[in-house]
Amino acid sequence: MARDLDAQVEAFRTRPLDAGPYTFVAADALVLKVREGGRTVNVHALVATGVNAEGYREILGLQVSSAKDGAGWLAFFRDLTARGLSGVALVTSDAHRGLTEAIGATLPGAAWQRCRTHYAANLMAVTSKTAWGGVRALLHSVYDQPDADAVRAQFDRILDSLSEKLPQVAAHLDAARADILAFTAFPKAVWRQVWSNNPQERLNREIRRRTDVVGIFPARDALIRLVGAVLAEQHDEWTEMRRYIGLDILARCRQATATPEKAEEVTLTAITA
């Protein structure tokens, strides 16, 4: 049974990514425990999801790395692109340096969105406890704006209001501006799907629910077998659900970030679809 399942998981993990372009991609890692060399070690399960040309979510890949470093992420994204990952306009993730560098090296045409949830935790670390409530409310107000211009204007107002009272917080926000506001380049209809890794976190909770039963895996193969089976199951469920993003909205997203020649091609494709 294990051999049969291993073959199925391997076929799923190495399948061609031929349903692109994958306009939006999200990446994250989970820390799991494995026995190796007579001791228990932490390994990182690297997982990527994407939205395909038909607007459905897909599990794009799974790899296990000894460390959540640049080499692991680079090998992961190189595998994804070799299997056909293309047309990526935006990647959402946390700000791990190895991850962001791997995105830049393998997907040079893609923008990067720093997950708003992860960023809030980073900002909280440089904000005093007494001031955090107000700062958090100001940060949330940025995401409540009706359009991209209003988002940028509100961000400017926040920087002005914090520059004298909390200069360290204002500097932190200013440095992260481009990364946390990358979502504004796309139609508002997709903002909630792309400005954070929350959809990925729900997937991670399902993986945790299944792996917590095991606790410590006897080998990496066992980890890949279970996590890969969970991901394959979730992948199949997504194909039976309604579209994650509508085709008309996807066409607008691709057009918003395309060159003039490519934008015309996207428009014609959307008209004939």
Side-chain angles (χ1 to χ4, degrees):
M1 289 178 62
R3 283 195 298 269
D4 290 342
L5 187 56
D6 284 345
Q8 295 175 34
V9 169
E10 183 64 15
F12 173 70
R13 293 175 60 225
T14 59
R15 76 190 190 282
L17 299 177
D18 53 8
Y22 295 91
T23 308
F24 300 109
V25 171
D28 204 358
L30 295 89
V31 180
L32 300 169
K33 294 184 180 297
V34 174
R35 289 191 179 91
E36 290 184 343
R39 59 195 180 94
T40 300
V41 299
N42 290 333
V43 296
H44 296 79
L46 312 181
V47 180
T49 63
V51 179
N52 64 27
E54 295 300 316
Y56 294 99
R57 293 181 75 192
E58 282 192 28
I59 303 294
L60 299 179
L62 163 69
Q63 283 193 14
V64 176
S65 175
S66 297
K68 186 182 173 183
D69 57 8
W73 280 116
L74 184 60
F76 182 52
F77 274 95
R78 281 178 173 169
D79 175 70
L80 294 179
T81 55
R83 288 166 46 215
L85 179 65
S86 62
V88 180
L90 184 72
V91 182
T92 304
S93 73
D94 64 21
H96 185 275
R97 182 175 178 181
L99 172 52
T100 57
E101 289 179 348
I103 293 168
T106 57
L107 301 170
W112 173 59
Q113 169 66 42
R114 186 172 182 175
C115 171
R116 57 172 283 188
T117 304
H118 285 88
Y119 177 71
N122 299 146
L123 185 63
M124 182 172 63
V126 300
T127 308
S128 65
K129 290 183 179 180
T130 56
W132 174 240
V135 171
R136 179 175 58 185
L138 289 173
L139 181 61
H140 285 178
S141 71
V142 171
Y143 304 105
D144 292 333
Q145 302 306 310
D147 54 50
D149 289 339
V151 167
R152 290 188 283 267
Q154 177 64 6
F155 199 90
D156 289 337
R157 286 192 290 269
I158 290 174
L159 290 181
D160 290 340
S161 67
L162 294 176
S163 59
E164 292 185 6
K165 297 178 180 178
L166 299 168
Q168 186 177 6
V169 174
H172 198 284
L173 277 165
D174 195 29
R177 179 189 186 115
D179 302 332
I180 61 176
L181 300 186
F183 68 88
T184 59
F186 302 90
K188 187 178 181 181
V190 300
W191 285 3
R192 290 187 179 277
Q193 286 99 324
V194 304
W195 64 21
S196 78
N197 256 8
N198 287 351
Q200 187 93 351
E201 292 297 332
R202 288 192 287 272
L203 175 64
N204 291 348
R205 285 196 295 271
E206 178 59 20
I207 296 173
R208 289 288 187 193
R209 186 179 71 82
R210 306 283 281 273
T211 58
D212 284 349
V213 177
V214 179
I216 303 173
F217 286 89
R220 294 194 186 200
D221 289 346
L223 186 157
I224 293 173
R225 182 183 305 130
L226 177 58
V227 176
V230 171
L231 293 177
E233 179 182 351
Q234 182 62 75
H235 177 88
D236 291 342
E237 288 183 9
W238 283 344
T239 62
E240 299 299 323
M241 299 171 65
R242 66 183 179 89
R243 285 186 174 89
Y244 189 64
I245 298 176
L247 294 179
D248 58 333
I249 298 174
L250 269 181
R252 288 164 53 199
C253 291
R254 291 195 290 268
Q255 191 174 21
T257 57
T259 61
E261 296 79 7
K262 189 65 176 177
E264 182 178 356
E265 179 184 333
V266 169
T267 303
L268 291 174
T269 302
I271 292 173
T272 58

